[in-house]
Amino acid sequence: MKKSLMAGFVLILALTLIISGMLNAFVFNKELIEDTKQELLSYASVISKEYDPSLDTDIQAKNFAGDIDNVRVTIIAADGTVLGDSAADYKAMKNHSDRPEIIEASITGKGSSVRNSETLGKKLVYSAVKTSDGYFIRATKEVSGVWDSLKSIIPAMILVIVIALILASVLTGRFTSGFITPIVEMNNSLISVKDGGIQLNPKAYRYAELEDMAVKINALSAHLSKYIATIQHEKDKLNYILDNVSEGFLLLDEKKNVLLINDAACGYLKCTKASIGENILYATRNYDFIQRADRAISEKKRLSFDLALGGKLIETVFTYVGEESGVEAALIITMSDVTESRNAVKIRREFFSNASHELKTPITSIKGSAELLCSDLQIPDKQRKELLARIGLETERMNLLINDIIMISRMESGELSGECEEVDISSVIHESINELVPLAERESVTINTDISPVTIYANRKDIRELVSNLLVNAVKYNKQWGAVDVSLFEQNGQAILSVRNDGEPIPPEHQRRVFERFYRVDSGRSKAVGGTGLGLAIVKHVVDTLGGTITLESNAENGTTFTVKLPLSEKQ
Ligand code: ADP
C-alpha cells in the first residue's frame, strides 16, 4: 500500500508538473504574441511618421529594419502592391491587399495577424499601420510556437520532476507511515478479535480521526471477544451435554450434510466428529439409514424405526423441521439403544405365554375332576377320593407355580424383597435342610453338610429362595439312597456355597440353558417331582442381583454340583 501510494503521489505530481508546464507555455506564448503585436504596431506607427514616399521605398524599408533587431519592414501601396521590403525582393512579392493585417488596417488604421510566412516559411507576427497618405507600413517579427516555448522549459521541468520525486518519496514515506501503520495495526486487531483482539494505543496515532477509530476498534474488540467467548461457552456447554447423553444426536441439513453429531451417534454409526460438515455418506454407509433420511426429507415427515447396528437394536427417530423464521430446514435424528427394553418385552411376552401354558395343565385337570365330581353320576368312593386327591395335588402345583411366577416377576421388576440385613447363610441352610428332611427321608437321600458360618449383607428371603431351590433340586433330582453334599465357607472375601447331588447328570447341551425360565431337561420328571421350571431362574436372578456367580458341573462320575460365589459386601 505504501509503495502504491508513493507511486500514485509521484505520478500525480509529475502529471501536474507536465500539464502546468504546458499551460504555462501556452499562456506565455499567447502573451508573447500579443506583446509582439503591440511592439510591432509601435514600430510601424513610428516608421509611418518617418516614411517619405518621394524617396526610394525599398531602401527606406531596409534602413528602418536596420534600426530594429529582427524586425522586417514592408511598405505597401494603398492597392496592396509591395513597394519595398527589408528581407525579400519586393518585386517578386504578390499583391498584399488580401493580407488580414492590411485589410484590418485599411478599415481601422491598424491591424495584426499571426501566420506562417509563405516567403520565409516561419511563424510570424504581422502588424500594419496605415499612413496618412494611404500607404501601409508593416512590421513583421518571427515568434516561437508553443512547442518551441515548451522545448525551452523541458530541462527545467525535468529538473523539477526529479527534485519532486525525491521530495515526494521522502514526504510520502513520512506521511504514509503516519496512517498506514495505524491501519495495519487496526487490521491485525480486527483479525485477532476472536482471540480478544490486539489492544491498540490510540494516543500513539498522529491523526485525530485514526485515534478515534482506534478507540472504537478497542471497544468493539472487547465487546466482540466477550460476545464470541459467550457463544463459544454456550457451544461448549451444548456439546458437553450432547456428548454426555446416552442417546445419539445428529443434525443434518436438507442436503444431508452433517451439522452436528454427538459422541453417542458417532459410536452407533462408527464414525468420528470429523464428519461434521461432510455428507452423511462419510459418516455411515448404512443404506437403510440413508434411504430413510432421504424419505424423511422428501416427505417432510417424522419417521421412527429400529435399526440393527453392531449387534444392538437402535431406535432411530427422524424428525423433519421445516424452514421457519430464518432458521434453515433440518433433519433432527435421535438414536437410542433399545436392545434391552425390546428384549425385555420379548422375554415378558414369552414368559406370559409359558406361564399361561404351565397353568393350563393343572387348571384343565382340576376342571375335569371337579366336573366329574359335580355330575349326577354315581361315583364310587375310591374314585371320588382319587379325584379329590388330584384336585389337591394340582392345586398345590398351581400354588407353587404361581408363587414362583410372583417371585420372578417381583425380581424382574426390580422390586426389593424387603430390607437387607446381615444374613448368616449357614443358618438359612440349616432352616432349609430341616424343612427338607421329610422329603429326603421319603426319597432315602442323605444330606451331608460341611458348613462354616458366613455372613453377607442381603435380603434374608432372597437367600432363602436361593438356598432352598438348590437344596430341593438336589433332593428332587437325586437317586434313591443317593447323597447331597452341602458346603459353605469363606474364601477371598467371598461366600462359597456348593451343593452336590447324585443322580442323573444334566447333559452338556442342557447345562447352559437350565437357568432359563420354564426350561426343563426332562419335563415329565420335573412335573412328577413338582417342578415349575423356574427354580434355577430364581436362583440365577438372586445371584446376579447380589453381584455373584453361579457355575454348574454335571457328569456321571461326580453327579451334579452347583457352586455359588457371593461377595461379602459391607453394610451400606
Ligand atoms: P424345576 O422346577 O423343573 O426343577 P429348575 O429351574 O429348578 O426347574 O431346574 C431346571 C431343570 O434343571 C430341571 O428340570 C432339571 O431337569 C435340572 N436340574 C436342576 N437341578 C438339578 C440337580 N440338582 N440335579 C439334576 N438336574 C437338575
Side-chain angles (χ1 to χ4, degrees), residues 471-515:
L471 291 179
V472 168
N473 278 358
V475 174
K476 274 193 323 191
Y477 297 107
N478 217 312
K479 63 179 182 189
Q480 212 179 8
W481 309 112
V484 172
D485 300 319
V486 188
S487 75
L488 174 72
F489 57 94
E490 191 184 315
Q491 194 181 60
N492 301 331
Q494 285 184 312
I496 318 272
L497 167 66
S498 159
V499 181
R500 194 207 66 81
N501 60 276
D502 294 319
E504 279 294 307
I506 301 170
E509 69 272 20
H510 293 281
Q511 289 182 13
R512 211 171 42 86
R513 301 197 62 191
V514 288
F515 299 101

Side-chain angles (χ1 to χ4, degrees), residues 473 476-477 501 506 514 519-521 526 531-533 535-536 560 562:
N473 278 358
K476 274 193 323 191
Y477 297 107
N501 60 276
I506 301 170
V514 288
Y519 192 83
R520 293 172 175 106
V521 177
S526 164
T532 60
L536 288 180
T560 302
F562 285 93

Side-chain angles (χ1 to χ4, degrees), residues 32-256:
L32 182 75
I33 288 170
E34 212 43 57
D35 288 350
T36 309
K37 277 181 186 173
Q38 292 308 320
E39 184 193 1
L40 292 175
L41 279 174
S42 316
Y43 289 149
S45 61
V46 170
I47 293 167
S48 69
K49 286 182 185 112
E50 288 179 18
Y51 172 63
D52 183 355
S54 59
L55 299 175
D56 187 313
T57 303
D58 193 45
I59 289 170
Q60 282 189 83
K62 284 182 174 66
N63 287 340
F64 291 140
D67 295 342
I68 318 150
D69 278 345
N70 300 326
V71 174
R72 173 184 166 192
V73 175
T74 312
I75 299 170
I76 301 151
D79 61 354
T81 309
V82 179
L83 301 175
D85 189 276
S86 63
D89 178 9
Y90 73 94
K91 287 175 195 133
M93 289 166 73
K94 286 183 190 163
N95 188 292
H96 273 32
S97 60
D98 58 347
R99 304 294 152 100
E101 66 279 5
I102 301 300
I103 295 169
E104 198 186 336
S106 66
I107 299 164
T108 63
K110 54 184 179 180
S112 296
S113 72
V114 182
R115 63 179 182 277
N116 286 329
S117 160
E118 284 173 24
T119 325
L120 299 171
K122 286 180 180 171
K123 182 147 194 151
L124 299 168
V125 176
Y126 299 90
S127 285
V129 169
K130 192 177 176 184
T131 65
S132 50
D133 315 337
Y135 294 96
F136 295 101
I137 308 298
R138 191 181 75 172
T140 306
K141 194 177 180 182
E142 186 189 330
V143 283
S144 48
V146 177
W147 177 238
D148 293 328
S149 305
L150 262 179
K151 267 200 289 197
S152 63
I153 62 166
I154 276 175
M157 264 172 72
I158 289 170
L159 186 70
V160 168
I161 286 172
V162 170
I163 293 167
L165 281 178
I166 295 163
L167 269 176
S169 55
V170 174
L171 288 174
T172 316
R174 287 197 57 193
F175 168 68
T176 50
S177 61
F179 69 89
I180 283 183
T181 311
I183 287 173
V184 171
E185 286 179 6
M186 284 176 199
N187 187 40
N188 291 340
S189 175
L190 287 172
I191 288 168
S192 63
V193 77
K194 72 171 167 29
D195 305 317
I198 300 164
Q199 274 295 303
L200 301 167
N201 180 12
K203 290 273 168 267
Y205 299 157
R206 208 179 296 163
Y207 306 102
E209 290 83 353
L210 291 175
E211 192 182 319
D212 192 35
M213 253 171 93
V215 171
K216 282 175 182 148
I217 286 174
N218 276 347
L220 187 76
S221 298
H223 180 74
L224 275 179
S225 63
K226 225 166 123 187
Y227 186 62
I228 290 168
T230 313
I231 292 174
Q232 190 59 44
H233 181 65
E234 290 300 318
K235 202 178 152 202
D236 292 346
K237 223 159 69 181
L238 180 72
N239 282 339
Y240 179 77
I241 294 167
L242 282 177
D243 285 340
N244 282 286
V245 292
S246 53
E247 273 74 28
F249 183 84
L250 249 135
L251 188 67
L252 306 185
D253 65 13
E254 281 205 292
K255 288 180 183 153
K256 297 200 299 302

